[in-house]
Amino acid sequence: MPDAPPKRKITLTVNGREYTAEAEDRYSLADFLRHALGLTGTHLGCEHGVCGACTVLVDGEAVRGCLMLAVQAEGCQVTTVEGLANADGSLSPLQQAFMDHHGLQCGFCTPGILTTLTAYLRDRPNADEAELREALSGNICRCTGYDTIVRAALAAAGAMREGGQP
Amino acid sequence: MSSTAFVGQRVKRLEDPDLLTGKGRFLDDLKLPGLLEAAFVRSPFAHATFTRIDAEEARALPGVHAVLTAKDLPSEMQGRRILLQVPHPQITYAVTQEPLATSEVCFVGEAVAVVIADGRHIAEDAAERVVVDWEPLPAAAHCEAALKPGAPATHADRADNIAGRLALGFGDVDAVFRNAAHVVEERYEPHRGTGHPMECRGVVAVHDMAGDAFRIWTSTQTPHNTQRAVIDMFGLAEDRVRVITPDVGGGFGPKNQVYPEELVIPAAARLLGRPVKWAEDRREHFLTTTQERDQIWDVAAAIDADGRLLGVKGTLIHDAGAYLPWGIIMPYISATTLPGPYKLPAYRMAVTVAFTNLVPTTPLRGAGRPQAVFAMERLMDAIAKATGLDPAEVRRRNFIQASEMPYDMGLTYRDGAPVMYDTGDYPEAQAQALAKAGYDDFPARQKAALAEGRHIGIGIGNYVEGTGLGPFEGATVRILTNGRVAIYTGAAAAGQAHRTTLAQICADELKVDISDIDVVGGDTGLMPRGAGTYASRITVNAGSSVRTASAELRGKALALAAAKFDVKPEDLELSHRAVRIKGEQGDSITFAELARMTSGMPGYALPKGVKPDLEASGYFTPPQATYSNGSHVAEVEVDPETGRVTILKYTVVHDCGTVINPMLVDGQVQGGVAHGIGNALLERMVFDADANPLTTTFADYLMPTAEIVPACDIVHMESPTPLNPLGAKGAGEGGTIPAPAAIVAAVENALSPFGLRITDCPVTPQRIVELIRAAEEMSEEDTP
Amino acid sequence: MEGADGAPQGRQAGYAGGVKPAPFTYHRPETLAEAAEMAASLENARLLSGGQSLMPMMNLRYVAVDHLIDLNPVAELAGITIDGGRVSIGAMTRQRAVLEDETLARCCPVMREALGFVGHVQTRNRGTVGGSLAHLDPAAELPGLAALLDAGITLRSRDGDRTVAMADFPRGYMTPDIREGEVLTSLAFNAWPDGHGWDFREFARRHGDFAMAGAASLILLDRDGRIARAAVVLIGIDDGPVRLSDVERMLTGETPSDDLFRAAAALAADRPMAADALVTETYRRHLAGVLARRSLAVACARAANGGGHA
Ligand code: FES
Ligand code: FES
């Protein structure tokens, strides 16, 4: 083992804002966001790549934040749950649908589910229930039993189709 | 505004905006200057003694501040164990965990040392370098084997593995069995699972040298118990220890006890003079956070010629795991839950609680009830088979009728009061569930499906659940000088939306909007007394306290305003955060003004009749449990070739008395059913013969996912209870309790062409294929 | 993701568990040559592709390395080329790209069907073809496909390229034939003729989990409806994917029928099957037979349909 764990400076854009911070090479992107940048909305539920709580968007695509190193996000555009609301701070259609349909209880899995669905619905605004359930199969929620999440996603898809915004 | 503008409505949650935008504050989100992080060194053996712990290399690692073993802990902790949560005279060996093991470890994951370092990564680097001289001992890996003579002892200094024995019952059991038309007898084995809130446990502690005071944040359902344990361990006065719950990412039972880390981390903070954090990781959660459900029921039912129950007798072995943090409450609950909604003339259950070298067991969503309901409902299905009656009909013939309420079951519940069902209409609940599930035409559907080669089946699960237990959960309601209303309660929320529920209750009393109310819970510094969020008790207890406190506060506000305007309180009304004289253009005084009035001015006496408290407190103490009930019907399809089970339809009729917020109750039910589906089909903690856990990641221990859990069809019945001012009963666990029974019954029903019985759960595809094979072999043997 | 925790190793073992990787130095080559140079020269190094298997193992400290060489910046390693009937897929092509490639789905529809079983949306966005091949989980879909399609796997080292037939690639449990200093660069195979039938199926308890067993088949029928060519693979039953040449021989020249599928399935299942703490050998054998039979039936039906619908 090296004497001191190697570290380096990482520059990336998170939620439209550029950040530079130091991190050990071994830091996961999720740890970096949470502890180096203080963006604690991204959660860690297993750190072995199964629960999906850590999901963030990297260059627009949903990835597991516990399975990607922070150094790998150098120069990337990252979106976390903190960056999903509308520019004026109001809830995005998806966030609003989660509130309207009781899509969350403890809220711990929610950031990963919102990011996953944000990318998914952007690409497939006409997704049906079965497709949504498959898309959600990489996110574990212990509280809700998923149904309200699916309802919220379907409602958000509807709202997004009408409103035309992501 | 009607008197229930909020109670009973599908009110959106006050909690959501923060949680949806990443502004939640969970344990691992807390930032404190100088914060150090901990990693524990844990036993790789299910049972071992150890002598030396060599931490030299670990201590030498840059960034490591300390490696503490048991002997390095403060003197107050030496020789001490964690406070037993619920003592009981039938416990034979009341052993709880040491903060750090001193010489013997009794399950894989038990902590022997802790590393405190600059960060978690380094702490783990160091923990890897701690070398322990282990002396492995034989381990008790299964509760039944553990009771056999000569079995390895879970605790080396004990002669056997008996943790406690209980005997419960009533009636002349022997006589009814002698006179029975039929006796059915089976063995049921529900298996061990875990709670797995998506947020694991965690503790942050700060110690203030001046005054020897602790501030502790912990991801718990029961901050007051943590406070009690810390006070007990360190011998401090109550005001020296403040325990605060941040946002909690789910609890489900396992966060409802005090763990070693909640004592060790404060000790480390005191020793080092720095704030210290430990955030449990998922693997530690698998190894150390309490589990539940391993039980073995050998039960027999005596019935008359018409399928009516005459009596049930049997034995129950309950797996305690290695320690008894919660005493023997769970098997007690199991044994008293068994009769369920049925009239039972005679009952005898002998319970043995066995120690094993496995993670300790404590109440987990359902707390001993899913197993009892599994046993009773499977027994009902066995009776149906024995008598040739339809399973629904057997149940119908045995229900306690609504007209018989309150119904004395003849047992004493865990709270010491008789098991006295308060309200509920059990036959009606089942009738509604069957109607909604299309039970009557199911045989036709089943036949049609079978003609296409599809095996579908239907199953019923009925239950009665004691909820809303004492001792109490208090609330203080206060009108603030900014005109807002604050509710303080001891209860800590973990996703149940207490803020919303309690605000709804208060808002109706004070005629304010729920957005005018701030609810603060789970902070011992703000509410010195509290019990915890368990046993589906918060709406009943804290809710009732909020109701009475709000009503009292309303009276105070009216009296104050009456004095000011010199009118009678009856001439006043509350509206929009003000008290006004009834009628057009009556004078009014805002809540803010009232609050300022009661605050007085420096040096001036308060106006006559004004007391300096625009607040009221309530400590509702329920006289006994209030009994929720429900009926679940599951419809499944089974692929007999692979053993795959797909849930096609799931119907829930649920009666939790007065519903404060149907949206939230639906959410509790749907989420509870999902957990029950896990228990029925997926979730099992598997250990090998040496008691090593084999399922320690989410890839091996299977949680239900969105493709597994169907949308439940939920019907609410409301049988308000007279036992509290709200008429409410608990709703948090009913979704889980009967689900394994209903689903397994449905699987068995789908496989009825094969003529097999399923008596354990979860029932895996492999198990289904094995059972089919065994049944086929049996029938081959039968054919000459 | 890996399976259960290994049993503890001996008496002196301290035990930490953990979810944060042990320290390492991260390297970021931008060309294949650079990557190969690093792979050859760095001690105790691992190549990082999608990270969807390696990172969990590192987080759990099952794997500790001194150097991690990230292939993600090596642009030349990503991409799908289809030239006539020859398909070549770069090692760093994301699983999602394979799933969504329309041309590939037309000429090799079994690919899309199989990729639908691989993990979840989030893992497919990162996970790569080469990573999956190199990790060589016995139940993984991509090695199974490579075996099914008689693919060749190309490896680059300082000394040049080497191509290994998939049949020879697995050297044991999760041990591919990749030598020190080699970088897996691509997977290439000849697409089957138009009109072939295909099927990929597996049995996992939840969508996206590693399968307890899986079966894949390709079938080409002759003008008389007899099986002219067959390829059948089982996954999840042994150290690597198992190509069933005995079954293929049995099928060739036969007319598809339920009896034929049943006999083929019996033969398919008649071989050693892995057992583990959670799945018995008997059940796995049973599953393998059921999946093989169903897979053949669907592949033959699709072939009879002129290749069905992709
Ligand atoms: S924390 Fe990343 S998948 Fe669970
Ligand atoms: S809302 Fe609690 S885990 Fe999903």
Side-chain angles (χ1 to χ4, degrees), chain B residues 326-350:
Chain B
W326 259 85
I328 53 175
I329 219 68
M330 276 174 300
Y332 197 93
I333 295 173
S334 298
T336 50
T337 296
L338 184 109
Y342 309 113
K343 272 182 249 183
L344 189 57
Y347 179 47
R348 186 168 67 216
M349 188 59 58

PDB file of all heavy atoms in Angstrom, chain B residues 326-350:
ATOM      1  N   TRP B 326     -34.446  -7.237  23.458  1.00  0.00           N
ATOM      2  CA  TRP B 326     -35.855  -6.953  23.687  1.00  0.00           C
ATOM      3  C   TRP B 326     -36.486  -8.012  24.582  1.00  0.00           C
ATOM      4  O   TRP B 326     -37.707  -8.198  24.587  1.00  0.00           O
ATOM      5  CB  TRP B 326     -36.608  -6.904  22.366  1.00  0.00           C
ATOM      6  CG  TRP B 326     -36.872  -5.517  21.902  1.00  0.00           C
ATOM      7  CD1 TRP B 326     -36.019  -4.736  21.195  1.00  0.00           C
ATOM      8  CD2 TRP B 326     -38.061  -4.736  22.106  1.00  0.00           C
ATOM      9  NE1 TRP B 326     -36.604  -3.516  20.955  1.00  0.00           N
ATOM     10  CE2 TRP B 326     -37.847  -3.488  21.499  1.00  0.00           C
ATOM     11  CE3 TRP B 326     -39.278  -4.982  22.756  1.00  0.00           C
ATOM     12  CZ2 TRP B 326     -38.801  -2.468  21.511  1.00  0.00           C
ATOM     13  CZ3 TRP B 326     -40.229  -3.968  22.767  1.00  0.00           C
ATOM     14  CH2 TRP B 326     -39.990  -2.727  22.154  1.00  0.00           C
ATOM     15  N   GLY B 327     -35.660  -8.754  25.289  1.00  0.00           N
ATOM     16  CA  GLY B 327     -36.242  -9.781  26.137  1.00  0.00           C
ATOM     17  C   GLY B 327     -36.922 -10.842  25.297  1.00  0.00           C
ATOM     18  O   GLY B 327     -36.422 -11.225  24.235  1.00  0.00           O
ATOM     19  N   ILE B 328     -38.059 -11.309  25.747  1.00  0.00           N
ATOM     20  CA  ILE B 328     -38.733 -12.409  25.034  1.00  0.00           C
ATOM     21  C   ILE B 328     -40.116 -11.968  24.580  1.00  0.00           C
ATOM     22  O   ILE B 328     -41.074 -12.743  24.533  1.00  0.00           O
ATOM     23  CB  ILE B 328     -38.812 -13.672  25.916  1.00  0.00           C
ATOM     24  CG1 ILE B 328     -39.447 -13.338  27.272  1.00  0.00           C
ATOM     25  CG2 ILE B 328     -37.418 -14.246  26.140  1.00  0.00           C
ATOM     26  CD1 ILE B 328     -39.667 -14.567  28.139  1.00  0.00           C
ATOM     27  N   ILE B 329     -40.164 -10.699  24.195  1.00  0.00           N
ATOM     28  CA  ILE B 329     -41.460 -10.117  23.854  1.00  0.00           C
ATOM     29  C   ILE B 329     -42.047 -10.698  22.568  1.00  0.00           C
ATOM     30  O   ILE B 329     -43.245 -10.865  22.427  1.00  0.00           O
ATOM     31  CB  ILE B 329     -41.286  -8.576  23.775  1.00  0.00           C
ATOM     32  CG1 ILE B 329     -42.482  -7.887  24.353  1.00  0.00           C
ATOM     33  CG2 ILE B 329     -40.990  -8.081  22.405  1.00  0.00           C
ATOM     34  CD1 ILE B 329     -42.643  -8.047  25.799  1.00  0.00           C
ATOM     35  N   MET B 330     -41.171 -11.017  21.627  1.00  0.00           N
ATOM     36  CA  MET B 330     -41.699 -11.455  20.324  1.00  0.00           C
ATOM     37  C   MET B 330     -42.425 -12.780  20.377  1.00  0.00           C
ATOM     38  O   MET B 330     -43.530 -12.893  19.861  1.00  0.00           O
ATOM     39  CB  MET B 330     -40.595 -11.541  19.295  1.00  0.00           C
ATOM     40  CG  MET B 330     -40.315 -10.221  18.675  1.00  0.00           C
ATOM     41  SD  MET B 330     -38.903 -10.408  17.640  1.00  0.00           S
ATOM     42  CE  MET B 330     -37.732 -10.934  18.843  1.00  0.00           C
ATOM     43  N   PRO B 331     -41.825 -13.813  20.987  1.00  0.00           N
ATOM     44  CA  PRO B 331     -42.587 -15.065  21.049  1.00  0.00           C
ATOM     45  C   PRO B 331     -43.858 -14.895  21.874  1.00  0.00           C
ATOM     46  O   PRO B 331     -44.856 -15.584  21.625  1.00  0.00           O
ATOM     47  CB  PRO B 331     -41.606 -16.047  21.711  1.00  0.00           C
ATOM     48  CG  PRO B 331     -40.556 -15.208  22.347  1.00  0.00           C
ATOM     49  CD  PRO B 331     -40.472 -13.970  21.527  1.00  0.00           C
ATOM     50  N   TYR B 332     -43.807 -13.990  22.821  1.00  0.00           N
ATOM     51  CA  TYR B 332     -45.020 -13.708  23.598  1.00  0.00           C
ATOM     52  C   TYR B 332     -46.098 -13.154  22.675  1.00  0.00           C
ATOM     53  O   TYR B 332     -47.255 -13.579  22.694  1.00  0.00           O
ATOM     54  CB  TYR B 332     -44.695 -12.711  24.719  1.00  0.00           C
ATOM     55  CG  TYR B 332     -45.760 -12.690  25.784  1.00  0.00           C
ATOM     56  CD1 TYR B 332     -45.649 -13.496  26.913  1.00  0.00           C
ATOM     57  CD2 TYR B 332     -46.891 -11.890  25.640  1.00  0.00           C
ATOM     58  CE1 TYR B 332     -46.635 -13.513  27.875  1.00  0.00           C
ATOM     59  CE2 TYR B 332     -47.889 -11.898  26.589  1.00  0.00           C
ATOM     60  CZ  TYR B 332     -47.772 -12.704  27.709  1.00  0.00           C
ATOM     61  OH  TYR B 332     -48.756 -12.723  28.652  1.00  0.00           O
ATOM     62  N   ILE B 333     -45.693 -12.189  21.850  1.00  0.00           N
ATOM     63  CA  ILE B 333     -46.659 -11.631  20.893  1.00  0.00           C
ATOM     64  C   ILE B 333     -47.153 -12.730  19.955  1.00  0.00           C
ATOM     65  O   ILE B 333     -48.345 -12.842  19.671  1.00  0.00           O
ATOM     66  CB  ILE B 333     -46.016 -10.484  20.080  1.00  0.00           C
ATOM     67  CG1 ILE B 333     -45.675  -9.304  20.989  1.00  0.00           C
ATOM     68  CG2 ILE B 333     -46.938 -10.037  18.958  1.00  0.00           C
ATOM     69  CD1 ILE B 333     -44.889  -8.208  20.294  1.00  0.00           C
ATOM     70  N   SER B 334     -46.219 -13.565  19.487  1.00  0.00           N
ATOM     71  CA  SER B 334     -46.614 -14.632  18.564  1.00  0.00           C
ATOM     72  C   SER B 334     -47.700 -15.504  19.186  1.00  0.00           C
ATOM     73  O   SER B 334     -48.745 -15.756  18.581  1.00  0.00           O
ATOM     74  CB  SER B 334     -45.416 -15.526  18.228  1.00  0.00           C
ATOM     75  OG  SER B 334     -44.410 -14.796  17.583  1.00  0.00           O
ATOM     76  N   ALA B 335     -47.420 -15.951  20.395  1.00  0.00           N
ATOM     77  CA  ALA B 335     -48.336 -16.903  21.023  1.00  0.00           C
ATOM     78  C   ALA B 335     -49.698 -16.277  21.300  1.00  0.00           C
ATOM     79  O   ALA B 335     -50.723 -16.953  21.217  1.00  0.00           O
ATOM     80  CB  ALA B 335     -47.725 -17.444  22.306  1.00  0.00           C
ATOM     81  N   THR B 336     -49.709 -14.981  21.602  1.00  0.00           N
ATOM     82  CA  THR B 336     -51.004 -14.351  21.884  1.00  0.00           C
ATOM     83  C   THR B 336     -51.712 -13.905  20.608  1.00  0.00           C
ATOM     84  O   THR B 336     -52.902 -13.617  20.633  1.00  0.00           O
ATOM     85  CB  THR B 336     -50.843 -13.139  22.822  1.00  0.00           C
ATOM     86  OG1 THR B 336     -49.807 -12.302  22.307  1.00  0.00           O
ATOM     87  CG2 THR B 336     -50.485 -13.579  24.221  1.00  0.00           C
ATOM     88  N   THR B 337     -50.978 -13.832  19.513  1.00  0.00           N
ATOM     89  CA  THR B 337     -51.588 -13.427  18.238  1.00  0.00           C
ATOM     90  C   THR B 337     -52.250 -14.604  17.537  1.00  0.00           C
ATOM     91  O   THR B 337     -53.168 -14.431  16.755  1.00  0.00           O
ATOM     92  CB  THR B 337     -50.526 -12.787  17.321  1.00  0.00           C
ATOM     93  OG1 THR B 337     -50.052 -11.597  17.944  1.00  0.00           O
ATOM     94  CG2 THR B 337     -51.097 -12.428  15.961  1.00  0.00           C
ATOM     95  N   LEU B 338     -51.761 -15.804  17.831  1.00  0.00           N
ATOM     96  CA  LEU B 338     -52.210 -16.973  17.074  1.00  0.00           C
ATOM     97  C   LEU B 338     -53.721 -17.107  16.904  1.00  0.00           C
ATOM     98  O   LEU B 338     -54.194 -17.333  15.799  1.00  0.00           O
ATOM     99  CB  LEU B 338     -51.627 -18.265  17.672  1.00  0.00           C
ATOM    100  CG  LEU B 338     -52.001 -19.482  16.829  1.00  0.00           C
ATOM    101  CD1 LEU B 338     -50.800 -20.032  16.086  1.00  0.00           C
ATOM    102  CD2 LEU B 338     -52.689 -20.546  17.636  1.00  0.00           C
ATOM    103  N   PRO B 339     -54.526 -16.949  17.957  1.00  0.00           N
ATOM    104  CA  PRO B 339     -55.970 -17.173  17.771  1.00  0.00           C
ATOM    105  C   PRO B 339     -56.596 -16.261  16.717  1.00  0.00           C
ATOM    106  O   PRO B 339     -57.576 -16.643  16.071  1.00  0.00           O
ATOM    107  CB  PRO B 339     -56.547 -16.890  19.160  1.00  0.00           C
ATOM    108  CG  PRO B 339     -55.407 -17.142  20.101  1.00  0.00           C
ATOM    109  CD  PRO B 339     -54.184 -16.688  19.365  1.00  0.00           C
ATOM    110  N   GLY B 340     -56.043 -15.051  16.561  1.00  0.00           N
ATOM    111  CA  GLY B 340     -56.530 -14.172  15.494  1.00  0.00           C
ATOM    112  C   GLY B 340     -57.998 -13.857  15.618  1.00  0.00           C
ATOM    113  O   GLY B 340     -58.514 -13.680  16.718  1.00  0.00           O
ATOM    114  N   PRO B 341     -58.693 -13.824  14.496  1.00  0.00           N
ATOM    115  CA  PRO B 341     -60.095 -13.395  14.514  1.00  0.00           C
ATOM    116  C   PRO B 341     -61.060 -14.528  14.826  1.00  0.00           C
ATOM    117  O   PRO B 341     -62.255 -14.386  14.608  1.00  0.00           O
ATOM    118  CB  PRO B 341     -60.307 -12.895  13.080  1.00  0.00           C
ATOM    119  CG  PRO B 341     -59.375 -13.720  12.255  1.00  0.00           C
ATOM    120  CD  PRO B 341     -58.175 -13.994  13.125  1.00  0.00           C
ATOM    121  N   TYR B 342     -60.539 -15.635  15.307  1.00  0.00           N
ATOM    122  CA  TYR B 342     -61.390 -16.823  15.446  1.00  0.00           C
ATOM    123  C   TYR B 342     -61.714 -17.134  16.907  1.00  0.00           C
ATOM    124  O   TYR B 342     -60.906 -16.898  17.797  1.00  0.00           O
ATOM    125  CB  TYR B 342     -60.694 -18.027  14.806  1.00  0.00           C
ATOM    126  CG  TYR B 342     -60.226 -17.730  13.413  1.00  0.00           C
ATOM    127  CD1 TYR B 342     -58.856 -17.677  13.105  1.00  0.00           C
ATOM    128  CD2 TYR B 342     -61.133 -17.438  12.392  1.00  0.00           C
ATOM    129  CE1 TYR B 342     -58.417 -17.374  11.829  1.00  0.00           C
ATOM    130  CE2 TYR B 342     -60.703 -17.128  11.110  1.00  0.00           C
ATOM    131  CZ  TYR B 342     -59.343 -17.099  10.831  1.00  0.00           C
ATOM    132  OH  TYR B 342     -58.911 -16.784   9.573  1.00  0.00           O
ATOM    133  N   LYS B 343     -62.886 -17.705  17.090  1.00  0.00           N
ATOM    134  CA  LYS B 343     -63.302 -18.155  18.413  1.00  0.00           C
ATOM    135  C   LYS B 343     -62.580 -19.442  18.747  1.00  0.00           C
ATOM    136  O   LYS B 343     -62.662 -20.407  17.988  1.00  0.00           O
ATOM    137  CB  LYS B 343     -64.811 -18.401  18.431  1.00  0.00           C
ATOM    138  CG  LYS B 343     -65.603 -17.169  18.782  1.00  0.00           C
ATOM    139  CD  LYS B 343     -67.072 -17.486  18.838  1.00  0.00           C
ATOM    140  CE  LYS B 343     -67.742 -16.786  17.680  1.00  0.00           C
ATOM    141  NZ  LYS B 343     -69.186 -16.947  17.638  1.00  0.00           N
ATOM    142  N   LEU B 344     -61.907 -19.388  19.841  1.00  0.00           N
ATOM    143  CA  LEU B 344     -61.090 -20.544  20.194  1.00  0.00           C
ATOM    144  C   LEU B 344     -61.436 -20.957  21.625  1.00  0.00           C
ATOM    145  O   LEU B 344     -61.090 -20.264  22.572  1.00  0.00           O
ATOM    146  CB  LEU B 344     -59.616 -20.150  20.079  1.00  0.00           C
ATOM    147  CG  LEU B 344     -58.571 -21.250  20.202  1.00  0.00           C
ATOM    148  CD1 LEU B 344     -58.807 -22.344  19.167  1.00  0.00           C
ATOM    149  CD2 LEU B 344     -57.176 -20.655  20.009  1.00  0.00           C
ATOM    150  N   PRO B 345     -62.133 -22.093  21.788  1.00  0.00           N
ATOM    151  CA  PRO B 345     -62.559 -22.471  23.146  1.00  0.00           C
ATOM    152  C   PRO B 345     -61.399 -22.918  24.042  1.00  0.00           C
ATOM    153  O   PRO B 345     -61.477 -22.759  25.258  1.00  0.00           O
ATOM    154  CB  PRO B 345     -63.526 -23.641  22.916  1.00  0.00           C
ATOM    155  CG  PRO B 345     -63.913 -23.557  21.466  1.00  0.00           C
ATOM    156  CD  PRO B 345     -62.747 -22.948  20.760  1.00  0.00           C
ATOM    157  N   ALA B 346     -60.383 -23.490  23.469  1.00  0.00           N
ATOM    158  CA  ALA B 346     -59.291 -23.979  24.315  1.00  0.00           C
ATOM    159  C   ALA B 346     -57.972 -23.796  23.577  1.00  0.00           C
ATOM    160  O   ALA B 346     -57.892 -23.989  22.359  1.00  0.00           O
ATOM    161  CB  ALA B 346     -59.502 -25.456  24.652  1.00  0.00           C
ATOM    162  N   TYR B 347     -56.949 -23.449  24.329  1.00  0.00           N
ATOM    163  CA  TYR B 347     -55.673 -23.109  23.689  1.00  0.00           C
ATOM    164  C   TYR B 347     -54.545 -23.377  24.657  1.00  0.00           C
ATOM    165  O   TYR B 347     -54.644 -23.070  25.848  1.00  0.00           O
ATOM    166  CB  TYR B 347     -55.695 -21.619  23.312  1.00  0.00           C
ATOM    167  CG  TYR B 347     -54.431 -21.089  22.667  1.00  0.00           C
ATOM    168  CD1 TYR B 347     -53.800 -21.762  21.622  1.00  0.00           C
ATOM    169  CD2 TYR B 347     -53.878 -19.872  23.098  1.00  0.00           C
ATOM    170  CE1 TYR B 347     -52.657 -21.242  21.032  1.00  0.00           C
ATOM    171  CE2 TYR B 347     -52.738 -19.354  22.511  1.00  0.00           C
ATOM    172  CZ  TYR B 347     -52.127 -20.042  21.479  1.00  0.00           C
ATOM    173  OH  TYR B 347     -51.003 -19.541  20.894  1.00  0.00           O
ATOM    174  N   ARG B 348     -53.488 -23.999  24.147  1.00  0.00           N
ATOM    175  CA  ARG B 348     -52.314 -24.199  24.985  1.00  0.00           C
ATOM    176  C   ARG B 348     -51.061 -24.110  24.118  1.00  0.00           C
ATOM    177  O   ARG B 348     -50.941 -24.820  23.127  1.00  0.00           O
ATOM    178  CB  ARG B 348     -52.370 -25.574  25.653  1.00  0.00           C
ATOM    179  CG  ARG B 348     -51.221 -25.777  26.653  1.00  0.00           C
ATOM    180  CD  ARG B 348     -51.448 -27.006  27.506  1.00  0.00           C
ATOM    181  NE  ARG B 348     -51.373 -28.213  26.727  1.00  0.00           N
ATOM    182  CZ  ARG B 348     -52.127 -29.302  26.935  1.00  0.00           C
ATOM    183  NH1 ARG B 348     -53.047 -29.314  27.895  1.00  0.00           N
ATOM    184  NH2 ARG B 348     -51.989 -30.374  26.190  1.00  0.00           N
ATOM    185  N   MET B 349     -50.188 -23.215  24.481  1.00  0.00           N
ATOM    186  CA  MET B 349     -48.968 -23.054  23.710  1.00  0.00           C
ATOM    187  C   MET B 349     -47.778 -23.011  24.654  1.00  0.00           C
ATOM    188  O   MET B 349     -47.754 -22.242  25.605  1.00  0.00           O
ATOM    189  CB  MET B 349     -49.030 -21.756  22.889  1.00  0.00           C
ATOM    190  CG  MET B 349     -47.910 -21.542  21.901  1.00  0.00           C
ATOM    191  SD  MET B 349     -47.747 -22.846  20.631  1.00  0.00           S
ATOM    192  CE  MET B 349     -49.366 -22.794  19.868  1.00  0.00           C
ATOM    193  N   ALA B 350     -46.842 -23.900  24.410  1.00  0.00           N
ATOM    194  CA  ALA B 350     -45.618 -23.922  25.208  1.00  0.00           C
ATOM    195  C   ALA B 350     -44.490 -23.348  24.366  1.00  0.00           C
ATOM    196  O   ALA B 350     -44.186 -23.860  23.289  1.00  0.00           O
ATOM    197  CB  ALA B 350     -45.291 -25.356  25.622  1.00  0.00           C
TER     198      ALA B 350
END
